[in-house]
């Protein structure tokens, strides 16, 4: 295999690691019974999993290379075998396509073209879940109840008590105040179909563009019912429809300017399985008739906020704004809603054919009619929701 010019990947962080395992021999020899092995982990967002284990000499060699300047591999300070080993891990990029390793260079180029702030890129890609069942994990480690949380984690550290200096007056709650109090995360969805008109009204309220301006070709500013960094509204709704009158079950992308749906793939019969994958096994959310993945198109925002330390944070805030508008709208229409960040991003990317370097799943939310009885506990200490339903 012939090497020519090389450079380091665009974004790279090195983390010292420590692996600990129990050893009976260490106990018998008078130690604490634990064997510790130090190592290194390279965090690079252009890699599929966002990281790879490396050896100490690799960390030293990577530190000598420039991410911006191509040099002959002979000037890298490493041997042919050492440089090739790092190319095979994707951390050194070759200027020419090498068999089986072309994808590393192309992924690295996509990271460079996206104008990421490096720390945000590493966080976004490295933090993705795959095939996680968070509900089963909580049951297994005993953190699915308050008693279990305290037994497993102990009492949280008490926070400082701050004495008030000025008490503010309270007013009699009005219609909007009562609406806010009924905004309770729903964990008990019924199996009822959602009416077409209700579904359409929810999508229009939360995700539709009420106004669009295009001052230059390709530069579009949208007005929605929620705020967005720079007015770009880079977050779109990718939908799993399970039970909506007049809409075939399946995957869709919502088009905010035309208030329309674009089908992704064919009709889906196993929507419950897809829903469980999306919400990482949280079965209390998976029964919602409509589940929405909030997906950020990074370039739409990073076109202006290039290599900006706040750009990715603003996209996360956009997801929060949209989800809370969804909560209010659903509550106003007598329905329940949820939002969760405990999601399997990798499975969602596969469902909707998303490139994680270009489009990131921020959160998953959903809405629909509540069940008649509360089988799973909801945090409604004021009794704003369930007593009214029981009556």
């Amino acid at each position: 295999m012939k090497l020519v010019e090389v450079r380091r990947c665009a974004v790279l962080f090195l983390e010292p690691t420590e692996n600990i395992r129990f050893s009976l021999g260490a106990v018998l020899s008078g130690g604490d019974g634990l064997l510790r092995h130090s190592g290194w982990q390279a965090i690079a967002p252009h890699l599929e999993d966002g990281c790879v284990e490396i050896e100490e000499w690799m960390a030293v060699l990577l530190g000598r290379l420039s991410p911006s300047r191509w040099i002959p591999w002979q000037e890298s300070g490493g041997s042919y075998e050492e440089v090739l080993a790092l190319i095979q891990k994707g951390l050194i990029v070759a200027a020419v396509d090498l068999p089986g390793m072309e994808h590393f260079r192309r992924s690295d180029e996509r990271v460079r073209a996206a104008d990421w702030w490096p720390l945000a890129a590493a966080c976004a890609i490295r933090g993705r879940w795959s095939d996680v069942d968070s509900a089963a994990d909580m049951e297994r480690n005993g953190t699915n109840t308050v008693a279990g949380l305290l037994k497993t984690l102990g009492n949280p550290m008490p926070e400082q008590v701050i004495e008030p200096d000025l008490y503010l007056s309270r007013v009699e709650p009005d219609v909007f105040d009562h609406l806010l109090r009924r905004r309770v995360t729903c964990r008990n969805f019924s199996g009822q179909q959602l009416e077409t008109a209700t579904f359409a009204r929810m999508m229009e309220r939360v995700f539709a563009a009420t106004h669009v301006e295009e001052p230059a070709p390709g530069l579009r500013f949208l007005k929605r019912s929620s705020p967005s960094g720079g007015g770009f509204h880079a977050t779109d709704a990718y939908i799993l429809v399970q039970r909506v009158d007049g809409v075939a079950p399946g995957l869709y992308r919502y088009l905010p300017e035309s208030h329309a749906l674009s089908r992704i793939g064919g009709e889906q019969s196993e929507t419950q399985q897809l829903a469980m994958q999306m919400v990482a096994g949280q079965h209390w959310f998976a029964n919602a008739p409509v589940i929405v993945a909030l997906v950020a198109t990074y370039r739409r925002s990073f076109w202006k906020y290039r290599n900006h330390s706040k750009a990715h944070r603003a996209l996360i805030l956009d997801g929060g704004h949209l989800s809370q508008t969804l909560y209010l709208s659903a509550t106003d229409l007598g329905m329940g809603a949820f939002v969760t960040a405990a999601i399997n991003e990798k499975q969602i990317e596969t469902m909707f054919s998303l490139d994680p370097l270009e489009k990131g799943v921020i959160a998953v939310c959903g809405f629909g009619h509540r069940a008649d009885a509360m089988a799973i506990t909801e945090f409604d200490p004021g009794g704003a929701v369930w007593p009214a339903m029981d009556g």
Side-chain angles (χ1 to χ4, degrees):
M1 188 178 296
K2 184 178 180 181
L3 299 181
V4 188
E5 292 186 316
V6 297
R7 67 181 178 186
R8 201 184 74 211
C9 59
V11 179
L12 175 66
F13 297 96
L14 300 179
E15 177 186 7
T17 60
E18 182 181 58
N19 296 318
I20 303 176
R21 64 180 179 86
F22 175 76
S23 170
L24 180 59
V27 174
L28 296 176
S29 63
D32 61 4
L34 301 177
L35 292 181
R36 294 172 171 83
H37 174 72
S38 298
W40 287 89
Q41 178 174 253
I43 300 172
H46 72 290
L47 303 180
E48 170 60 27
D49 293 323
C51 70
V52 64
E53 298 295 325
I54 63 172
E55 299 176 38
E56 186 173 357
W57 68 263
M58 294 180 173
V60 174
L61 178 53
L62 287 167
R64 297 173 182 160
L65 295 176
S66 167
S68 59
R69 184 170 64 93
W70 295 102
I71 61 170
W73 76 264
Q74 296 91 338
E75 298 178 13
S76 66
S79 68
Y80 174 87
E81 290 75 15
E82 290 173 336
V83 172
L84 182 59
L86 282 167
I87 291 176
Q88 291 171 334
K89 286 184 175 290
L91 302 176
I92 289 180
V93 181
V96 297
D97 285 342
L98 301 178
M101 288 169 272
E102 309 93 330
H103 62 289
F104 288 131
R105 180 173 60 80
R106 291 167 188 168
S107 294
D108 182 61
E109 288 172 353
R110 293 207 304 279
V111 171
R112 294 172 186 272
D115 293 308
W116 276 96
W117 186 53
L119 281 170
C123 178
I125 300 302
R126 185 72 184 96
R128 292 145 65 228
W129 281 6
S130 177
D131 287 322
V132 172
D133 188 332
S134 60
D137 288 345
M138 286 190 292
E139 291 180 9
R140 188 164 42 250
N141 60 32
T143 57
N144 57 331
T145 65
V146 172
L149 278 169
L150 294 175
K151 180 180 179 181
T152 303
L153 305 176
N155 284 19
M157 183 178 295
E159 298 185 21
Q160 179 184 0
V161 177
I162 301 176
E163 294 297 327
D165 293 316
L166 175 65
Y167 288 92
L168 304 177
S169 62
R170 295 184 180 272
V171 296
E172 191 68 24
D174 59 15
V175 174
F176 185 68
D177 294 314
H178 288 297
L179 175 65
L180 291 176
R181 293 177 185 181
R182 295 198 311 275
R183 186 182 59 175
V184 176
T185 295
C186 181
R187 290 178 172 82
N188 297 271
F189 289 99
S190 74
Q192 181 181 347
Q193 288 276 113
L194 194 63
E195 305 82 3
T196 310
T198 303
F199 170 67
R201 189 174 188 185
M202 278 290 297
M203 298 306 297
E204 184 171 18
R205 275 183 167 186
V206 182
F207 299 108
T210 59
H211 189 75
V212 181
E213 287 190 6
E214 189 171 0
L219 177 58
R220 302 174 73 81
F221 296 98
L222 274 65
K223 180 72 176 73
R224 275 177 173 166
S225 55
S226 300
S228 175
F232 291 114
H233 282 285
T235 303
D236 294 315
Y238 285 74
I239 311 167
L240 170 61
V241 171
Q242 298 200 91
R243 299 182 305 279
V244 176
D245 289 334
V247 182
L251 303 171
Y252 298 86
R253 177 176 175 177
Y254 177 74
L255 308 178
E257 298 178 33
S258 54
H259 184 45
L261 300 178
S262 174
R263 180 183 287 278
I264 299 174
E267 184 171 343
Q268 297 284 342
S269 58
E270 298 298 327
T271 60
Q272 185 70 9
Q273 181 180 351
L274 295 177
M276 286 287 283
Q277 289 180 338
M278 291 180 73
V279 298
Q282 298 174 92
H283 52 85
W284 47 87
F285 293 148
N287 196 39
V290 179
I291 298 180
V292 182
L294 302 177
V295 177
T297 299
Y298 297 129
R299 191 169 298 178
R300 200 183 304 169
S301 172
F302 296 172
W303 171 82
K304 175 181 179 182
Y305 303 114
R306 303 185 182 192
N307 194 28
H308 199 297
S309 61
K310 304 296 185 182
H312 188 251
R313 185 183 301 186
L315 292 177
I316 295 174
L317 287 172
D318 284 0
H321 299 321
L322 289 168
S323 68
Q324 289 308 299
T325 301
L326 182 140
Y327 263 65
L328 278 176
S329 299
T331 304
D332 179 62
L333 294 173
M335 296 188 295
F338 77 87
V339 63
T340 179
I343 58 178
N344 281 316
E345 290 93 340
K346 291 188 179 181
Q347 278 67 51
I348 297 172
E349 291 161 5
T350 299
M351 291 177 203
F352 293 104
S353 299
L354 306 175
D355 181 341
L357 294 177
E358 297 180 359
K359 294 178 181 289
V361 187
I362 303 298
V364 169
C365 52
F367 58 91
H369 295 295
R370 289 180 181 273
D372 294 330
M374 185 169 59
I376 299 175
T377 302
E378 294 182 10
F379 190 62
D380 182 26
V385 175
W386 288 103
M389 292 184 68
D390 292 340

